[in-house]
Amino acid sequence: MSIAHRLGEVQRTTDWDRYFLNIARETARRSNCIRRQHGAVIVKNRRIRSTGYNGPPSGHAHCDSGACPRAASEAASGWAHDNCIAIHAEANAILYSSPEERDGASIYITGVPCFGCAKFIANSGITEVVAEGDAYQGWQDVRNFLLDCHVRVRHL
């Protein structure tokens, strides 16, 4: 791994990156979370293998209907995730894809992944994360974790 890559040098965005991130943004619109909407797209060989957005487990009432304790609270962004009923976009995309679809794939995400999702990504067979949006405090530690797990990270 090059030093420039490890240090997070500015990454160039390709037409394919824009295309798949646009699809991730559109997927995020399906989320009913009232605090934050995220989308993820798993891509292998330029073919979409799976999509996901953040939302409650199947069969559970939705966040926008008052079913999420975190959404109803005044918890600061990045805090009180234990009270959130949503499954993150990355986790949903991984859950709805097969190991063969993920092996060597990229995941395009509308925000940088949390540590929990980074662990899922690192263990899923996905070899590249392409994320956009603002980084949160502690993102560099999560990024370094992914790099240590041999997952390429491009934050656009």
Side-chain angles (χ1 to χ4, degrees), residues 34 56 60-72 83-85:
I34 61 175
H60 194 281
H62 291 186
C63 301
D64 57 5
S65 66
C68 181
R70 182 171 183 268
N83 293 333
C84 179
I85 63 166

Side-chain angles (χ1 to χ4, degrees), residues 43-113:
V43 176
K44 184 174 179 179
N45 299 325
R46 294 188 178 157
R47 293 184 183 265
I48 295 171
R49 305 304 177 156
S50 181
T51 63
Y53 54 88
N54 57 321
S58 296
H60 194 281
H62 291 186
C63 301
D64 57 5
S65 66
C68 181
R70 182 171 183 268
S73 76
E74 294 185 22
S77 181
W79 295 92
H81 288 284
D82 288 344
N83 293 333
C84 179
I85 63 166
I87 298 170
H88 289 186
E90 304 92 321
N92 271 321
I94 289 168
L95 284 167
Y96 287 99
S97 62
S98 70
E100 296 78 22
E101 291 172 315
R102 295 187 306 264
D103 188 37
S106 298
I107 187 167
Y108 288 82
I109 315 168
T110 59
V112 296

Side-chain angles (χ1 to χ4, degrees), residues 40-44 47 49-52 89-109 113 116-131 145-154:
V41 179
I42 295 176
V43 176
K44 184 174 179 179
R47 293 184 183 265
R49 305 304 177 156
S50 181
T51 63
E90 304 92 321
N92 271 321
I94 289 168
L95 284 167
Y96 287 99
S97 62
S98 70
E100 296 78 22
E101 291 172 315
R102 295 187 306 264
D103 188 37
S106 298
I107 187 167
Y108 288 82
I109 315 168
C117 287
K119 292 186 287 185
F120 291 146
I121 291 166
N123 212 38
S124 71
I126 291 171
T127 57
E128 180 184 45
V129 169
V130 181
F145 168 80
L146 286 165
L147 293 171
D148 288 344
C149 294
H150 307 287
V151 175
R152 182 177 180 205
V153 178
R154 294 189 297 133

